[in-house]
Structures are given as C-alpha cells and as structure tokens.
Amino acid sequence: MRVPSSMISWLVAVAALLALPWLVTSDYYVNIASQIVIAAILALSLNLLIGFGGMTSLGHAAYLGVAAYLSIYLTAHAGFGHLAGALIAIGATTVLAMLFGFLALRASGLGFLMITLALGQILWGVAYRWASLTGGDNGLGGLKRPHPFGLNLMDPAIFYYFVLAFLGIALWCIARFVQSGLGQSLQGTRDQPRRMRALGYEVWLIQWLSFVFAGFWGAVAGLLYAYYHQFVSPQTLHLTTSAEALLMVIAGGTGTLLGPVVGAALVVILKNIVSAYITRWLILLGVIFVAIVLFMPEGLVPGLTRWVRALRNRPPADKPADAPSVAKGPAR
Amino acid sequence: MNFWIIQGLNGLAFGSLLFILASGFSLIFGLMRIVNLSHGAYFMLGAYVGVSAIEAGVNFWIAILIGGGAICILGTLIERFILRRLNGQPLAQVLVTLGIAFIIADTCVWIWTGDPRPVPMPRELAGALRVSNLAFPIYRLFVIGVAFALAAALWLLLERSRLGAMIRAGVDDLPMARAMGIRTSLLFSAVFCLGSALAGAGGVLAGPILSVYPGLDSDMLPLALVVVILGGVGSLVGAFVGSLLIGFIYSYGQALFPDLAYVILFLPMVLVLTLRPTGLFGRQAI
C-alpha cells in the first residue's frame, strides 16, 4: 500500500491533468499539453531500454517515425480504414522492432548504441530518398483524425483527453511490466548480466522481449504523433528525434517510472519556448547534452535537486550515486 | 558492361572517401573506446572550411591542409578538455560527442546557410580519362589513389612503426599497455588528432564529388558506423574492406534501384551481424 501523502499527491496530479483544458483556455497551450503527453509515451518506452534495461538506444525515433509513416500512408493513401490502418501500423512497427532487436542485441553497450543509431539513420535515409513512397523531404500528409466512438478529435481538448488516456494505459502497462518477473529480471540483466546468465536466465531473450515491448509503445506514440500533426516528414526519423527522446529520459532521471514524463514536459516546453524566439534549437540541444554530461550526469531533475541542496548547505537525503545514471551506466 | 565498370569505379571512389572517414573513426573507437558521433560533423565542417578557403582564393591543395588542420586542432581541443574529463565513462563520452555534433551541424547552417555549396575541382585534375569508349573523371581516380596510398601509409604506421606497435598494444589490452610504460594519454591525443585531421581533410577532398550541404554529416556518419560494424572494431583492413564494400553496394544500388539504395544498406548489416557479430576482420564483438 502507498502512504496516504503520496496517494494525495497522485490524486492532485491526476486531477490537475484532467482539469488542464479548463485551467488553460487557449488552444495553443492545450495542444502543447498534447505534444507533451505524446512525447511522454515515447520517453517512457525508451526508458524501458535505458533505465530498466541499461541499453542506451540512439535509434528510438525509428518506431515513432515508422508507425507515423505507415498509419498515414495506409489510411490517407492506400485506402485503409482508420482502425485497420492503426492496427497494421502498430503491428508492422512491432515486427520491425523484433528484427532491429535481433540485430542490435548481437552487441551490448557501445555496439548496441552504434547499431541502433545506424539502423535508425538508414531508415531516415530511406524516408528521405524513397520519394515515390514517402514523399521525400516534403513528407506525407493528408491524414484526417478519426472519430472513435463519435468523439470529435479535431477539438484540442478532446484530443488531449484522447492521448492522455493512452498515457494512462502506457503508464499502467509499463508499471506492471517493470514489477513483473520479466521486468525484474530485465533490471537484473542491467546490473549483473553475467550473474543472471549464471543463474540460468536467458539474458538475450529477456532483453529482446523488452526491446520489442519498448518498440510497441514507441509505435503507439508514433500513431498518436501522426494523428496530432496529421503529417510526417523524415525529420521524425532523424537522429535528432532519437536524441530528444534520449534527453527526455536523462533529464527526468533514468530508471524511474515518472521521470520520463517530467523530462518530456521539460524538453517539449523548452523547445516550444526557444523556437518562438530563435531558430537555433539544435545548438541548444547540443549544449544541453554537453552540459548535462559534464555537470549533472545523474539527470537534470536529480542534478538540480542536488544543486539546490548544495546551495542550501544541507546534506543530501539520499546518495545520488545510487540513482542509475546514464553516464556511469554499464558500458559493456 | 560499361555500366558495371563505370559504376564500379564510382563505388570505388565513394568507398575511398568513406575509408578516409571511417579509418579514423575505427581507430579512435578501437583504441579509446570512444564512439565519436561528431565524426560526420568533422567531415562536414572540414569541407565547409575548405570551401571558404577556396572561395578566399586559396589553392585546392592548401585548402585540404587548412580543412584538415582546422579539424585536427578542434578535435585535439575537444579530446583534451572534454573527453579526457570523462575518462572511463564511455556512454558519457558518446553523449558529449553527440551534443558536439549537433552544435557543429547547426553552426554550419548558421555560418554557411542551408544552400549546398559546390566545390570547384582543382584544374589540373579536371577532365576525364578515356580508355577505348569509356570515360572516367580523373579526379575520382585521384581520390581512389589517395585512399589506397592512405591505407598503405596507415598500414605501415600501425604494423611497422614503434608508434603503431604502441597503438596495437593499446587496442588489444589497454591496462596492460599502460602497465608496460606506454604513455597512453599521449597515444590517445595522437590518434584522436590523426582521426580528426583525416575527417576534415576527407571532407574537403569529397567536396568536388559530393559537394557540401547541411545533412552531409547525417549522410556520412551512419555509413562510417556501418563500415565499422561490417569490418570489425579497430581493424584497419576491416575498415578498408568495409568501406569499399559499402561504396560498391551504395553505388550499384543507387544506379539500379535509386529508391532503394538505402534499404540495401540493411543487407550487409543483417548478414554480418547474424553470421559474424565480430565483424569481418574484428577479433572482439563490438
């Protein structure tokens, strides 16, 4: 059982999320909230690999982009219905995750990172060059948001609730996964792969199943991304998208359930604010990466907390070294 | 028949450019365990610096030296002041190089705008070589020659020189090499400096063939990664064979199935990772 105080803060958080369209009246902010929710689903799925599996992937945009491309192509250009298009897109992307997982898990640590990056960038090249199918640099559009159960998803508030429901399901499923035997053994393979192997666990299979599960949720995020933007371009598949997702995970603190949600909010809000003033988001993204690694390798939120504590001259309540950090995570 | 010869030579030329990039990348990864994700950005920045030098009236050959030298200095600074601080934290180093790659890429758009820059060919290498009814640009033959000469020079450096013996010792067993009294910190700087210089000079050399454009880094970096995955970690022969292989696949693919040139790149990766995850010439899994 949870302690009541955390129960209350949960209820307050959920109530605030539900009341958000009334609190902010402008459609612009409701749309940003939808962007955050979709990004959060992507970050949650990536955190399964990075935080709980110790597998740093730099190709997670693949699932977002492929699902988005497929759903738009199938429904807007190949004449499929919305439900069929969505199911096929998610199913096919999950199959792609099975293949990519098979390839990437031939290596571990840095090799895993290189293979995921290479696979992701090849997909980007395919989307960019195979113009007859993907529209090339112009991207693919023409998707109309569906009307599930008579809901008008063109309404920003209703769309927000729609994606929020998916975030709730994703959180529930991923929390269940992490607590399940498979999720526990995944964390075991992250910390002690050799010992797990010696104990008779099929390390490869555990990692592969988790990889596919993460790919599935990446695909769900991609479907919602397609509905939100009603458009997809090669940029969605690009390394920068993978890097942004990675930043969300690191920013919120890896290996926690809600960290990626906070990280997604931070990154999306920052990107929207910055883009309103300057066009150099990519430079800022790079500077943030360098700064995080150099100054707060345990993540932005835990790092800032540590700084605030240090400024107040208080001894830290918990040792930051215990938090799984990306920088010091298992390399090989 | 002519088609196969011409495209084969094109593939050889592209593979040569790739080798100039990937050999440095592979050496750095093999010795220092740093996946230098800035390597594609070094290539592009070197090319832009070279273009600016040429537009300022500098001779093409001097421009190659300027491009290579500038990136060499930049790489050395990054290695000394950033990567060294993160010694023993490979993932942190990767993320830093990724951040630096973004900074360089966006800065290039800032300075040189988003329009592609054509790079003029050096006058003495313009024109085509004609053999019976085949014509092939002399410049591409020259690039192929440079890559083969570089491969030979690197082979001599690694296999026949004292520095090379130290590098090989470091690749095989770093703690033991250090224990034997090899100054690995100097070695790291030397290799990173060499790799950066090759990337920068390679960028200028590639200019007349590929021209320079934003996104050149994103085009080249994954190819360098694929070369290392195919060839094996830290293996010069692997980088050479892998580069030429990818050059051929890419060139024939682009000519035969222009839409699918990138899809075909999956094939060698699937095959090598399935059948031989150490890479063709690697001794250890990546």
Side-chain angles (χ1 to χ4, degrees):
Chain A
M1 279 302 290
R2 298 189 174 283
V3 280
S5 68
S6 83
M7 195 74 167
I8 291 171
S9 53
W10 267 92
L11 284 175
V12 170
V14 170
L17 283 175
L18 286 176
L20 190 123
W22 279 288
L23 297 176
V24 295
T25 45
S26 150
D27 281 353
Y28 174 75
Y29 293 108
V30 177
N31 277 333
I32 287 188
S34 298
Q35 281 182 33
I36 291 175
V37 170
I38 295 169
I41 297 175
L42 181 72
L44 277 173
S45 71
L46 180 58
N47 189 36
L48 273 174
L49 297 180
I50 297 178
F52 295 105
M55 300 177 270
T56 308
S57 162
L58 266 177
H60 212 60
Y63 315 109
L64 182 84
V66 168
Y69 263 108
L70 276 177
S71 65
I72 293 185
Y73 183 79
L74 290 174
T75 48
H77 300 270
F80 280 78
H82 267 296
L83 188 64
L87 291 179
I88 295 175
I90 290 182
T93 310
T94 310
V95 171
L96 184 77
M98 291 178 186
L99 173 69
F100 279 14
F102 173 74
L103 293 175
L105 287 171
R106 300 295 282 184
S108 59
L110 292 177
F112 176 87
L113 181 142
M114 282 169 56
I115 298 172
T116 52
L117 199 167
L119 291 172
Q121 283 297 92
I122 291 178
L123 278 183
W124 168 78
V126 171
Y128 195 77
R129 300 266 148 69
W130 198 349
S132 55
L133 191 69
T134 63
D137 203 15
N138 296 323
L140 213 54
L143 179 75
K144 302 259 190 304
R145 287 183 191 170
H147 288 258
F149 315 114
L151 293 173
N152 177 20
L153 290 185
M154 289 313 287
D155 182 294
I158 294 179
F159 187 78
Y160 168 74
Y161 286 126
F162 179 72
V163 291
L164 194 63
F166 274 95
L167 177 63
I169 299 170
L171 266 175
W172 186 78
C173 285
I174 288 173
R176 285 295 300 267
F177 174 84
V178 169
Q179 287 157 6
S180 72
L182 183 60
Q184 292 291 319
S185 45
L186 176 69
Q187 291 167 63
T189 64
R190 171 193 68 194
D191 298 331
Q192 296 287 350
R194 269 189 206 169
R195 219 173 277 181
M196 290 296 284
R197 202 170 287 128
L199 285 170
Y201 285 91
E202 197 69 59
V203 170
W204 187 90
L205 189 65
I206 293 167
Q207 292 180 330
W208 184 75
L209 287 173
S210 310
F211 191 98
V212 174
F213 188 60
F216 167 78
W217 281 110
V220 172
L223 181 71
L224 298 175
Y225 179 96
Y227 287 157
Y228 176 80
H229 292 281
Q230 299 164 280
F231 170 78
V232 60
S233 75
Q235 189 59 36
T236 313
L237 282 166
H238 195 258
L239 174 61
T240 47
T241 309
S242 294
E244 279 169 18
L246 178 66
L247 181 63
M248 291 169 196
V249 175
I250 304 175
T254 56
T256 58
L257 193 60
L258 286 176
V261 181
V262 179
L266 282 175
V267 172
V268 172
I269 291 173
L270 186 68
K271 189 175 177 180
N272 274 287
I273 294 176
V274 170
S275 304
Y277 295 102
I278 52 168
T279 53
R280 299 265 87 90
W281 161 246
L282 200 54
I283 287 189
L284 188 68
L285 185 66
V287 170
I288 294 175
F289 258 98
V290 176
I292 281 191
V293 171
L294 288 181
F295 302 118
M296 38 182 85
E298 68 269 43
L300 208 59
V301 175
L304 283 178
T305 322
R306 177 167 59 89
W307 278 18
V308 170
R309 282 209 187 100
L311 280 178
R312 289 183 185 164
N313 275 329
R314 271 193 215 163
D318 53 343
K319 283 178 290 176
D322 284 351
S325 92
V326 168
K328 296 195 171 86
R332 287 178 60 79
Chain B
M1 191 60 211
N2 283 359
F3 164 83
W4 293 98
I5 295 173
I6 293 288
Q7 287 307 325
L9 281 170
N10 276 337
L12 206 54
F14 188 69
S16 300
L17 290 175
L18 208 49
F19 172 71
I20 298 172
L21 180 71
S23 55
F25 181 86
S26 178
L27 267 181
I28 290 172
F29 182 42
L31 180 67
M32 305 166 72
R33 307 301 306 172
I34 292 178
V35 178
N36 183 21
L37 296 183
S38 316
H39 222 68
Y42 288 178
F43 187 81
M44 180 172 72
L45 183 61
Y48 271 123
V49 170
V51 165
S52 285
I54 291 171
E55 282 172 3
V58 175
N59 177 312
F60 183 83
W61 310 109
I62 310 288
I64 289 182
L65 290 181
I66 293 176
I71 305 306
C72 177
I73 293 168
L74 178 75
T76 310
L77 290 177
I78 289 172
E79 199 271 327
R80 274 276 155 190
F81 293 107
I82 297 181
L83 293 176
R84 181 145 304 185
R85 286 182 54 169
L86 302 167
N87 219 344
Q89 304 172 36
L91 273 174
Q93 288 172 326
V94 176
L95 296 184
V96 162
T97 59
L98 179 66
I100 293 172
F102 288 157
I103 296 173
I104 294 178
D106 215 18
T107 309
C108 283
V109 178
W110 204 353
I111 299 178
W112 286 280
T113 74
D115 300 325
R117 296 278 179 115
V119 182
M121 218 168 269
R123 202 172 298 120
E124 50 272 41
L125 293 179
L129 187 75
R130 292 182 186 281
V131 179
S132 71
N133 59 347
L134 285 176
F136 198 77
I138 294 175
Y139 185 76
R140 296 193 181 208
L141 294 173
F142 166 74
V143 169
I144 296 171
V146 168
F148 276 78
L150 176 69
L154 283 177
W155 187 83
L156 282 177
L157 173 78
L158 285 176
E159 302 291 332
R160 291 284 179 271
S161 79
R162 190 178 157 76
L163 178 67
M166 292 197 284
I167 292 177
R168 277 182 291 133
V171 170
D172 281 348
D173 193 336
L174 191 62
M176 190 52 82
R178 198 173 285 145
M180 300 292 286
I182 295 174
R183 292 183 63 186
T184 50
S185 109
L186 255 176
L187 208 57
F188 280 13
S189 292
V191 165
F192 203 87
C193 179
L194 176 70
S196 311
L198 284 178
V204 187
L205 202 61
I209 298 178
L210 302 175
S211 82
V212 201
Y213 52 94
L216 180 63
D217 55 338
S218 306
D219 277 343
M220 296 304 280
L221 176 68
L223 295 178
L225 290 176
V226 175
V227 163
V228 173
I229 292 167
L230 288 189
V233 171
S235 158
L236 186 68
V237 182
F240 190 67
V241 175
S243 299
L244 296 189
L245 207 59
I246 291 298
F248 284 131
I249 291 174
Y250 195 68
S251 175
Y252 282 122
Q254 219 157 26
L256 292 172
F257 327 95
D259 281 345
L260 295 175
Y262 254 77
V263 184
I264 300 172
L265 287 176
F266 282 116
L267 284 180
M269 272 186 77
V270 172
L271 283 178
V272 165
L273 284 172
T274 309
L275 301 175
R276 198 178 152 80
T278 56
L280 294 173
F281 296 90
R283 269 176 290 177
Q284 46 180 333
I286 55 169

